[in-house]
Amino acid sequence: MKPYQKELTLDEPPHTCWSGICGYPQLVSQVHVISASGLKNQGSEEGVDPYVIIKCEGEKVQSPVLKNTLTPEFDVKGLFYRKKPGKPVIIQIWNHNLITDEFLGEVAMAGDPNELHPLHILHLQERGNKRVSELPGVLKVQLLSSNVLTSI
């Protein structure tokens, strides 16, 4: 098993004595980051070394770094049990560098269980920016959510 993957061994999170205090998940979301295109080239003649991070309520899933591409095929999935359905799922794309990685853009998704079209093509945005400020590149993502924790 690769270090960025975690085996799902239960159908749903267990109820514990802390569930009443800390809360119990109300929603399950499966995020599938399929690919990206049109990423910002960093001035080199070649592509970038991108990877993706999916964040949800303090948990995260990270893809391996892909080498020398502006059109990465990530094909990475994350399954999240969500206690706060109002908080978005954040998907970020980074460029791996020797000294410090460079932020290429992010998207925020609500993951509404009533969503009829789970496949999204979204423009990358600035990090945490309240105003819409598009960056170069788009992300192809499939997001499935359900109120029934065992349905995905």
Side-chain angles (χ1 to χ4, degrees):
M1 183 176 295
K2 297 179 182 176
Y4 54 86
Q5 295 177 336
K6 184 175 168 182
E7 182 181 8
L8 185 63
T9 56
L10 300 173
D11 289 334
E12 63 182 63
H15 286 275
T16 67
C17 59
W18 295 103
S19 295
I21 298 169
C22 299
Y24 189 75
Q26 302 172 30
L27 194 69
V28 61
S29 293
Q30 181 191 56
V31 184
H32 180 193
V33 179
I34 300 166
S35 63
S37 60
L39 297 179
K40 180 176 116 181
N41 195 342
Q42 306 303 314
S44 68
E45 294 176 13
E46 303 166 353
V48 294
D49 296 336
Y51 62 94
V52 67
I53 298 175
I54 308 168
K55 297 179 179 181
C56 184
E57 295 186 28
E59 299 291 324
K60 73 178 184 176
V61 173
Q62 182 173 323
S63 75
V65 174
L66 301 177
K67 296 290 184 186
N68 192 26
T69 182
L70 296 175
T71 56
E73 297 288 329
F74 290 115
D75 191 28
V76 63
K77 293 181 182 179
L79 185 68
F80 300 96
Y81 293 104
R82 301 170 61 192
K83 296 177 185 176
K84 301 172 186 170
K87 290 189 76 170
V89 175
I90 305 293
I91 303 167
Q92 297 179 331
I93 297 183
W94 291 82
N95 177 30
H96 178 70
N97 288 314
L98 189 59
I99 297 173
T100 183
D101 292 352
E102 179 183 10
F103 177 77
L104 295 178
E106 75 176 19
V107 297
M109 303 180 71
D112 183 358
N114 299 319
E115 179 87 36
L116 298 177
H117 303 285
L119 186 61
H120 303 272
I121 298 176
L122 304 165
H123 285 275
L124 295 175
Q125 307 289 321
E126 289 283 350
R127 187 173 10 182
N129 196 342
K130 300 299 179 200
R131 289 188 348 213
V132 175
S133 178
E134 289 185 4
L135 295 172
V138 294
L139 196 58
K140 187 175 183 181
V141 179
Q142 183 176 30
L143 177 58
L144 301 169
S145 292
S146 175
N147 293 319
V148 180
L149 300 182
T150 57
S151 69
I152 293 182

